[in-house]
Structures are given as structure tokens and as C-alpha cells.
Amino acid sequence: MQAIVETLFDTVYLFSVITIGILMIRKSKGNRQFTMFGIMAVILGGGDAFHLIPRAAAL
């Protein structure tokens, strides 16, 4: 049961963080701070994917 819930949570988390980051970048309208937060969100999601995807595959 833990494996299913953890994998589902990881999937939702990665999808949400990367999607929100991309939306922030696209809708920043020249606001540098908004753009930077979007870039940070995408980098965070990409970095987390390096350990969450193999972990989900192993579970």
C-alpha cells in the first residue's frame, strides 16, 4: 500500500511543480522575479525527478 501511495504522490508532485514552473515562466510578462521563481520550480522538479523516478520504479 505504501508503494502505491508514495508513487502516486511523487507523480502528482513532479507533475505539479514542473507545470506550475512552466506556467510561471510563460505568464511572467517581463517580471524578472516571477521568471526566476518559475525557473527555480522547473529546476527543483527536474532535480527531484532524478531520485524520485528511479525510486518509484523500484517500488
Side-chain angles (χ1 to χ4, degrees):
M1 184 67 180
Q2 177 187 353
I4 295 169
V5 173
E6 186 174 340
T7 304
L8 182 63
F9 174 80
D10 291 344
T11 305
V12 171
Y13 165 73
L14 288 174
F15 179 77
S16 299
V17 168
I18 293 171
T19 302
I20 290 169
I22 291 170
L23 288 174
M24 288 178 76
I25 293 168
R26 291 182 69 201
K27 296 182 182 224
S28 64
K29 297 180 183 171
N31 185 344
R32 283 188 57 152
Q33 187 174 15
F34 204 69
T35 304
M36 289 298 282
F37 277 115
I39 292 169
M40 287 190 296
V42 171
I43 291 172
L44 174 72
D48 283 346
F50 275 101
H51 69 90
L52 291 178
I53 292 174
R55 181 176 170 90
L59 291 174

